[in-house]
Amino acid sequence: MKKVIAREKLPELWKSLSAQGPLFLPVQEGPVVLFQQWQEGAKINLEATNTAVPPKDLFLPREETYMQYRCKGKELEVIPAEEVKPAVLFGVHPCDLSAVELLDKVYIEQDPADELYKIRRENTTVVALSCTEPDPFCFCNDFAINPADAPGADVVAHLKNGSLLLEAGTDKGKTLLKQAEDLLEDGSGQSFEPGEVKTADFGLKLEGLPENLKNRFDDSAWDELYKSCLGCGVCTYVCPTCYCFDVEDFGHEAGGERFRCWDSCMYGHFTEMAGGHNPRPGRKERIRQRFMHKLQYYPETFGQIACVGCGRCLRSCPVNLDIVQAIQTFGGETVEQC
Amino acid sequence: MSSVNVLLPQQATILDITEETPDIKTLRVVGKDGLPFDFMPGQCAMLSIPPLGEAIFSITSSPTCRECLEFSIKDVGKVSGALHSVVPGQQIGIRGPYGNGFPVDEMKGKDLLFIGGGIGLAPLRSLISYCFDHREDYGHIDIVYGARSPADLIRKGEVKESWAEEPDTDVHLTVDAEFPDWDGNVGFVPTYVEELGFKPENKIAITCGPPIMIKFVLQALDKLKFSPDQVITTLEMRMKCGVGKCGRCNLGPVYVCKDGPVFTLEELNALPAEY
Amino acid sequence: MAERNLDNIKIIREAVKQDLLGGRISQVLGWEKGHYWWQSRPLFARSEADLEKLTWDSFCGINLSRYLLEELKDHEKVGVLVKGCDARAFNRLLQDNMVKREQVILYGLPCPGMLDYNRLFEEAGAVPSGIAENNGTVILKTGGGDREVKREDVMLDKCRECVYPDPAAYDQMLLSPQGERKAAGRFKPVEELEAMPADERFAYWDKELSRCLRCYACRQACPFCSCRECFVEQESPRWQGRAYQPSENFMFHLVRAYHGTGRCIDCGECERSCPVNIPLQELNRKLIKDINELYGDYEAGLDAEAEPPLLTYRPDDPAAFSEK
Amino acid sequence: MSAALNENTAGWEPLIVSFCCNWCSYAGGDLAGTSRMTYPANVKVIRIPCSGRINPMFVLRAFQRGADGVLVAGCHPGDCHYTSGNYQSRRRLSAFKRLVEFAGFEPERFEVRWISSSEGDKFAEEMTEMTEKIKALGPNRKMRDARWQSVI
């Protein structure tokens, strides 16, 4: 199913879609662009290549309350949270879409499935938006992602000649386009041929990297690589393929709620045990965990490197310690940029 | 369709509490209709006391016990501390079972050597009871158990009386230093294991205890010529989900909560030594 | 690529080389180029080969003094290249007894102010292939030819209002001083916020803080956040909840800023590090401004001997509340 | 405490949390009580060893859990049992008060007062005045944790 809508008419589309359920899309929030729920007057920014924070929030929310509890005397009552409503996520770029597929492997395909994630995923219609211009930090070409195309999305959208072209790729996508039928015109005369977008190419040698890393846990290169790390969690929070979480209670003896929220392997308390023993006590162990997980552990289990080249860690790390540096350190070759 | 959120605890009730040592208590816990779930020796469960949260504990009882689950818990943190102040009849949250459990089928027909230290007897106890309940499946059983002092030995009655009475079974107790009224062995567990001079033939050694004890037990077993695939141990890591997702107990390609906590030494040697 | 002043780099290299190879210090903290011409990242130099990578250009914004907390665990004595803000950060750590003066050699680098790559891209309308600098101007090299902009206009926010670009503490000053700068505008955003009605101001902060990811980059990059255990991680009592609730956002940011009262050196590393651009310096500067108004002018880190205003008092101090 | 912080929206009554120095203000409160002076029951007094003990997190936590106003009361400058605790807190709490206001709180929500152990009358007056001011302002929503309310 192919449809087209003029850009001027997009505000009507947003309004119509959000009347049927929450609609999330890239919104300009002061100096940054973030996926936010549409509301009247929101400044939609479809030009921005990458949002500051990835859309994983829609499926693995930074905070999700999944039960309430009530205690009365010796009794404990557990009340599960209500199921989430169907939503539309609009404007996901191909790198972020690939990242969601990486998360699916952990949260849906690997037994036991995580129902909280799975329901959100099933209830969300994802509209991918192809890139027209790469961000200076993008390097998804290194991961064989074509930023101009997004196979696998429910709907793939392209910004072309003042219009938005929409092509449904799944039944969910078709349903969505049908819902907005009144606003959309037939797009069968339009060219949906994905163009080609070139991102920066670090010339990373990824083939064989996971195998190569297997024996480099004790490599002295880690002693150097971690040094500039400040020990903050920016890289993990802006990473579309990071998925660690914490489970916490909020409340008092009589009642409260339990939620899960994002957590980061970069924090000291992440692995600290009740007795005080910490298997990953320092920045070196934690940096190694993060990069080994992306480049060796995850690939060993799921057959692919857990990075999509979105460039967020290159942009956001306050000290420019990013995954490209890690890959280069451990065998990926580099093309000098400056 | 009603879906099941794996993180959602079910209700369980404390039947009774036994004080084992000054800082270890055994809780007997029952679900709404008997056992909250089926499990295998070595598996764990997540117990919760809101608003303090959840923590993971190994199940001390054997699956052959159908009345309740038992947990021997040492007071070391927030949740374990709270579990020390529960009263009979109180409800707590429980979910599980988590982890792989001991390879009870692969152990069939073998002689077994259990080596436990302090609270480390908790997961072993599940397996030991299971083996006694399937006595004909297993060969000779040796149990080496030690603690800092006689007061720190858990399940003293059971260990000294019932276990020692089992056919084809030897129980060897030890404490770290001399104590009045203690007529058993004095010395650290690893040393005692070496002194007892166990033969590795057709034997599997299963050990659990404080990390430092495990370290030296492994050395002792190596000296006694046990090969890494004959040695089984359990790992302890911080865990939040229990289902291999939250990331805390990730070691190389495995998640201890899901792929462990039971590993042979051979498996362990292939993992990054971050535990 | 960024045109670097190679003469300056040579001077710096020569100076630290003597001390490093001569054995006075076992490591030098400096900067090296990152992946892009607009990134310079920390360099931990221990050999002559490492020193080859040493750079000094308009992208060395990262404050190096913070690393001393970790590096002095492994090294008897290290050298640090310090800009104005790095030196003030050093003095701060000194005041907290977190470092020992004799364990560090400070190489002073008067700082012209660091450039903001986002502003450069914006001015160029695309990613320039590089820049050149000339006496207060920056030349952007783009496909459509060169474009000249005022240096002031493309500096990092944190540097625009910098008053003390020259290191206040050093063992050796390597380049010629910049001289004190006037920064009349540094409290302007604070004053604008002060002029708002309370509810409006609350709404402003509520919105700004709602973006906070609790990544703690602001804390980790900060030279006043040197506590061994931060209140955020304290378990009992648990002051900071992990939820992304407005009340938890305020808790973190108000307490973070407040802990910097009389200690914040206004280096702006918190704000530069924030991945979602929360205007953290407005909170920090509010406290600087108030302390100056109430208890006399004080610039943290400028003089390691001066008594920090919250560690002292005078019987006749004014108060911000009625003392009737 | 949680029950005390409950807020009945129909007949709303403000909740004031007052941190009182053990040596002066708390004793001042005692004197007010033994002298049968009255002050509003809206004030919940928490005894602290010295006004210098106040960690600003105490104040923020009170707001999170439902306080409509917070009053710190200590000894008059010069009278500190520990010599200089209140001199220190004067500086710290002045900076903190302004920060709280900068965050968008009305100035009346957080106050500091000096009340000696002989000033039972002043204690009653200050507590009454604070309560009246907060009553006029209405309930505080800023920084209140909505979740805390929902679980009571």
Side-chain angles (χ1 to χ4, degrees):
Chain A
M1 192 193 279
K2 292 177 177 176
K3 295 282 177 188
V4 62
I5 180 170
R7 289 200 67 168
E8 313 82 77
K9 284 174 79 181
L10 284 177
E12 288 171 56
L13 181 64
W14 310 144
K15 206 168 186 170
S16 146
L17 289 178
S18 59
Q20 300 168 50
L23 165 69
F24 294 86
L25 67 185
V27 174
Q28 187 75 42
E29 280 289 338
V32 291
V33 182
L34 296 165
F35 278 98
Q36 301 223 313
Q37 189 169 345
W38 182 87
Q39 49 186 350
E40 200 73 59
K43 277 193 245 161
I44 312 305
N45 185 341
L46 294 182
E47 260 74 34
T49 302
N50 262 331
T51 47
V53 185
K56 66 177 177 184
D57 211 358
L58 262 287
F59 310 115
L60 187 65
R62 66 186 70 177
E63 174 188 353
E64 178 171 29
T65 298
Y66 62 84
M67 62 168 255
Q68 295 223 320
Y69 67 87
R70 298 269 182 279
C71 302
K72 210 170 158 194
K74 291 177 179 177
E75 278 166 40
L76 167 70
E77 188 191 356
V78 171
I79 309 144
E82 280 171 32
E83 280 193 16
V84 289
K85 292 194 179 73
V88 174
L89 173 58
F90 199 104
V92 177
H93 287 297
C95 56
D96 284 343
L97 186 68
S98 304
V100 171
E101 286 162 3
L102 285 160
L103 298 188
D104 288 349
K105 294 190 179 187
V106 178
Y107 278 85
I108 298 178
E109 289 165 33
Q110 181 178 265
D111 194 49
D114 183 289
E115 287 296 330
L116 296 170
Y117 178 94
K118 198 173 152 199
I119 289 169
R120 285 182 184 273
R121 189 79 171 88
E122 282 165 359
N123 278 348
T124 305
T125 307
V126 178
V127 182
L129 179 62
S130 66
C131 302
T132 45
E133 211 173 311
D135 186 273
F137 294 98
C138 290
F139 62 109
C140 68
N141 282 174
D142 265 313
F143 293 89
I145 292 169
N146 176 8
D149 199 8
D154 296 316
V155 176
V156 187
H158 309 276
L159 282 170
K160 265 187 188 169
N161 316 323
S163 295
L164 187 72
L165 309 183
L166 297 155
E167 183 174 13
T170 65
D171 288 345
K172 250 200 282 184
K174 281 180 195 156
T175 313
L176 183 81
L177 294 189
K178 270 201 197 111
Q179 278 171 359
E181 222 163 18
D182 299 348
L183 292 165
L184 305 175
E185 286 163 39
D186 179 43
S188 45
Q190 304 272 344
S191 164
F192 278 72
E193 209 45 45
E196 207 178 325
V197 174
K198 277 261 167 245
T199 69
D201 189 343
F202 287 99
L204 300 175
K205 260 195 164 171
L206 301 170
E207 213 171 300
L209 181 67
E211 293 73 27
N212 176 32
L213 270 171
K214 206 168 175 183
N215 301 315
R216 300 187 70 178
F217 183 81
D218 294 314
D219 200 294
S220 61
W222 295 114
D223 296 329
E224 210 48 46
L225 187 69
Y226 87 92
K227 281 195 131 194
S228 61
C229 176
L230 292 171
C232 72
V234 169
C235 51
T236 51
Y237 286 173
V238 301
C239 177
T241 73
C242 269
Y243 56 79
C244 289
F245 64 81
D246 192 8
V247 173
E248 291 280 316
D249 287 2
F250 178 88
H252 44 70
E253 284 71 18
E257 55 191 48
R258 180 167 292 168
F259 60 96
R260 73 163 164 194
C261 58
W262 288 358
D263 203 349
S264 167
C265 61
M266 301 308 297
Y267 298 152
H269 283 236
F270 187 66
T271 47
E272 192 180 296
M273 289 159 65
H277 172 66
N278 195 342
R280 291 196 274 274
R283 292 173 301 149
K284 176 184 152 188
E285 291 81 12
R286 302 199 274 269
I287 275 282
R288 178 169 59 191
Q289 169 66 19
R290 175 170 147 77
F291 289 136
M292 284 295 257
H293 187 263
K294 301 258 175 257
L295 305 173
Q296 203 264 307
Y297 308 157
Y298 186 98
E300 189 171 335
T301 308
F302 298 107
Q304 88 192 87
I305 287 177
C307 175
V308 293
C310 74
R312 286 188 181 90
C313 59
L314 277 70
R315 176 202 295 277
S316 292
C317 175
V319 296
N320 309 335
L321 171 52
D322 49 59
I323 196 155
V324 171
Q325 205 184 334
I327 295 172
Q328 287 170 344
T329 303
F330 289 96
E333 273 169 25
T334 175
V335 176
E336 185 62 72
Q337 285 270 315
C338 52
Chain B
M1 182 200 85
S2 89
S3 47
V4 187
N5 168 12
V6 286
L7 299 179
L8 205 62
Q10 50 172 307
Q11 229 174 42
T13 309
I14 308 282
L15 281 182
D16 55 51
I17 302 143
T18 317
E19 209 154 317
E20 302 276 357
T21 76
D23 59 357
I24 298 171
K25 282 184 179 178
T26 296
L27 308 181
R28 295 180 359 118
V29 176
V30 68
K32 260 185 185 158
D33 315 292
L35 287 189
F37 41 72
D38 282 318
F39 67 99
M40 289 306 286
Q43 284 193 302
C44 304
M46 196 66 93
L47 302 184
S48 59
I49 298 236
L52 297 169
E54 294 183 305
I56 199 156
F57 298 95
S58 56
I59 304 168
T60 321
S61 54
S62 156
T64 45
C65 164
R66 302 309 293 171
E67 292 120 53
C68 62
L69 297 178
E70 290 180 26
F71 296 91
S72 290
I73 294 168
K74 187 166 176 166
D75 179 2
V76 287
K78 217 166 46 170
V79 178
S80 57
L83 285 167
H84 266 241
S85 53
V86 294
V87 292
Q90 188 169 334
Q91 292 181 332
I92 60 169
I94 191 167
R95 57 190 178 91
Y98 298 124
N100 53 358
F102 291 105
V104 287
D105 289 331
E106 285 155 46
M107 286 157 56
K108 275 185 187 161
K110 305 264 168 96
D111 292 345
L112 304 177
L113 166 59
F114 293 98
I115 306 165
I119 186 68
L121 190 70
L124 295 185
R125 194 262 166 193
S126 174
L127 178 61
I128 292 171
S129 301
Y130 179 90
C131 292
F132 286 144
D133 290 334
H134 299 85
R135 194 65 194 87
E136 66 286 358
D137 287 345
Y138 302 96
H140 183 79
I141 292 180
D142 279 294
I143 299 166
V144 182
Y145 178 45
R148 274 172 306 184
S149 73
D152 290 307
L153 292 166
I154 65 167
R155 295 185 170 268
K156 279 180 275 272
E158 186 179 21
V159 175
K160 279 190 190 162
E161 284 140 41
S162 28
W163 290 359
E165 296 304 309
E166 291 282 342
D168 204 14
T169 302
D170 291 311
V171 175
H172 319 268
L173 297 179
T174 183
V175 295
D176 290 358
E178 300 275 0
F179 284 92
D181 301 328
W182 177 253
D183 51 6
N185 185 71
V186 173
F188 295 125
V189 171
T191 328
Y192 194 33
V193 167
E194 238 183 292
E195 282 166 18
L196 289 165
F198 297 104
K199 300 265 180 299
E201 284 73 36
N202 195 40
K203 193 169 280 171
I204 297 217
I206 307 108
T207 181
C208 187
I212 188 76
M213 184 206 90
I214 293 188
K215 190 180 156 195
F216 288 105
V217 164
L218 296 180
Q219 287 177 11
L221 290 171
D222 186 50
K223 276 189 204 159
L224 294 170
K225 302 269 187 286
F226 280 76
S227 66
D229 60 339
Q230 281 178 289
V231 179
I232 292 174
T233 187
T234 74
L235 285 188
E236 217 182 308
M237 295 275 277
R238 186 170 169 169
M239 297 168 189
K240 283 280 186 163
C241 72
V243 290
K245 317 238 187 272
C246 86
R248 276 169 189 67
C249 66
N250 178 220
L251 277 185
V254 312
Y255 284 79
V256 174
C257 66
K258 175 171 71 72
D259 308 302
V262 176
F263 294 97
T264 64
L265 182 55
E266 191 181 20
E267 291 165 332
L268 217 51
N269 287 342
L271 293 175
E274 271 185 339
Y275 40 81
Chain C
M1 76 164 274
E3 197 176 88
R4 279 166 275 175
N5 185 328
L6 295 174
D7 289 342
N8 282 348
I9 293 176
K10 210 171 154 197
I11 293 169
I12 299 166
R13 259 184 217 156
E14 283 309 313
V16 298
K17 199 166 162 179
Q18 280 187 0
D19 290 339
L20 185 65
L21 303 183
R24 268 185 85 196
I25 47 177
S26 51
Q27 181 168 262
V28 175
L29 307 187
W31 301 270
E32 63 174 326
K33 287 315 292 174
H35 302 305
Y36 307 98
W37 57 260
W38 64 85
Q39 286 183 338
S40 296
R41 64 191 181 203
L43 170 73
F44 301 80
R46 291 187 298 281
S47 67
E48 193 166 5
D50 291 343
L51 285 183
E52 286 301 310
K53 294 185 250 173
L54 190 73
T55 194
W56 170 246
D57 62 10
S58 293
F59 300 97
C60 300
I62 297 164
N63 191 327
L64 298 175
S65 294
R66 181 86 168 52
Y67 288 108
L68 288 170
L69 297 177
E70 288 292 326
E71 293 306 318
L72 288 176
K73 289 179 189 165
D74 303 330
H75 293 270
E76 276 294 303
K77 190 161 183 162
V78 299
V80 198
L81 301 184
V82 288
K83 310 184 287 289
C85 52
D86 301 48
R88 294 201 304 283
F90 177 80
N91 276 342
R92 265 275 56 261
L93 297 173
L94 204 58
Q95 279 180 319
D96 281 353
N97 278 323
M98 302 300 275
V99 292
K100 289 201 180 77
R101 185 64 184 88
E102 62 274 18
Q103 280 193 291
V104 183
I105 297 183
L106 301 172
Y107 303 95
L109 293 174
C111 175
M114 295 296 155
L115 302 183
D116 181 342
Y117 65 80
N118 280 316
R119 291 213 164 97
L120 294 174
F121 298 175
E122 222 168 86
E123 289 288 347
V127 181
S129 61
I131 59 163
E133 291 188 48
N134 181 23
N135 213 8
T137 61
V138 175
I139 300 131
L140 302 160
K141 296 179 175 166
T142 68
D146 288 359
R147 195 174 125 61
E148 207 173 291
V149 289
K150 259 173 73 188
R151 204 170 184 286
E152 290 272 342
D153 295 339
V154 286
M155 277 188 344
L156 281 174
D157 273 335
K158 71 173 215 157
C159 302
R160 285 183 158 187
E161 304 294 344
C162 175
V163 189
Y164 306 100
D166 294 329
Y170 54 86
D171 293 284
Q172 204 180 335
M173 184 72 101
L174 299 183
L175 304 170
S176 24
Q178 299 276 340
E180 211 164 286
R181 289 175 80 241
K182 272 202 301 271
R186 121 168 132 136
F187 296 125
K188 231 175 118 194
V190 175
E191 282 158 7
E192 282 165 17
L193 279 164
E194 284 171 343
M196 281 183 189
D199 287 345
E200 218 171 284
R201 201 157 56 228
F202 184 82
Y204 169 82
W205 283 115
D206 195 27
K207 191 162 174 53
E208 291 293 327
L209 300 183
S210 70
R211 293 199 298 273
C212 178
L213 299 170
R214 237 62 73 60
C215 70
Y216 305 130
C218 50
R219 176 187 74 177
Q220 295 305 104
C222 172
F224 77 61
C225 282
S226 53
C227 292
R228 293 218 166 84
E229 189 184 30
C230 177
F231 76 97
V232 163
E233 271 97 26
Q234 272 176 355
E235 278 288 339
S236 184
R238 182 68 168 273
W239 293 111
Q240 182 64 54
R242 304 206 68 164
Y244 294 87
Q245 296 282 331
S247 99
E248 305 280 24
N249 295 340
F250 274 88
M251 188 71 166
F252 173 63
H253 285 284
L254 292 185
V255 178
R256 184 205 64 81
Y258 183 72
H259 283 176
T261 317
R263 305 171 73 238
C264 170
I265 58 161
D266 206 8
C267 70
E269 276 293 87
C270 49
E271 199 171 299
R272 188 188 66 80
S273 299
C274 180
V276 288
N277 297 58
I278 298 173
L280 297 165
Q281 263 180 299
E282 288 173 8
L283 285 170
N284 299 343
R285 284 179 176 161
K286 164 69 181 167
L287 285 156
I288 296 174
K289 177 172 174 281
D290 283 351
I291 285 290
N292 287 352
E293 279 173 13
L294 286 163
Y295 306 115
D297 282 351
Y298 178 81
E299 201 66 52
L302 215 49
D303 174 4
E305 303 296 317
E307 192 136 53
L310 284 203
L311 294 190
T312 186
Y313 64 87
R314 289 195 345 209
D316 59 346
D317 273 338
F321 43 84
S322 158
E323 292 193 285
K324 69 173 161 49
Chain D
M1 189 73 181
S2 51
L5 298 187
N6 198 356
E7 180 181 302
N8 181 345
T9 37
W12 175 75
E13 279 291 327
L15 173 73
I16 318 287
V17 174
S18 181
F19 294 97
C20 293
C21 158
N22 175 54
W23 304 101
C24 292
S25 313
Y26 192 83
D30 263 353
L31 180 61
T34 48
S35 317
R36 304 195 170 231
M37 293 176 207
T38 55
Y39 65 90
N42 307 61
V43 183
K44 309 293 168 207
V45 175
I46 297 175
R47 180 155 62 158
I48 48 169
C50 173
S51 58
R53 171 64 182 95
I54 283 293
N55 183 329
M57 292 192 282
F58 297 176
V59 179
L60 297 179
R61 177 52 53 91
F63 284 128
Q64 283 185 322
R65 298 290 194 260
D68 299 297
V70 177
L71 174 71
V72 174
C75 310
H76 286 273
D79 295 345
C80 180
H81 185 80
Y82 307 101
T83 318
S84 66
N86 51 4
Y87 283 137
Q88 312 266 8
S89 64
R90 178 161 62 189
R91 283 199 169 198
R92 292 185 210 154
L93 296 178
S94 289
F96 182 64
K97 179 167 165 58
R98 289 202 175 179
L99 179 66
V100 167
E101 289 170 26
F102 190 63
F105 282 80
E106 296 86 353
E108 295 83 357
R109 298 281 184 197
F110 175 63
E111 280 293 5
V112 184
R113 290 287 181 269
W114 309 133
I115 304 170
S116 83
S117 57
S118 61
E119 295 175 319
D121 49 343
K122 188 177 179 191
F123 184 93
E125 262 167 44
E126 291 292 357
M127 297 302 160
T128 310
E129 193 189 318
M130 180 87 180
T131 309
E132 291 310 319
K133 274 189 189 162
I134 300 295
K135 246 184 201 161
L137 267 182
N140 175 52
R141 299 284 175 202
K142 291 163 187 167
M143 252 191 100
R144 176 168 302 188
D145 201 313
R147 299 171 300 167
W148 191 257
Q149 209 61 31
S150 74
V151 296
I152 291 169

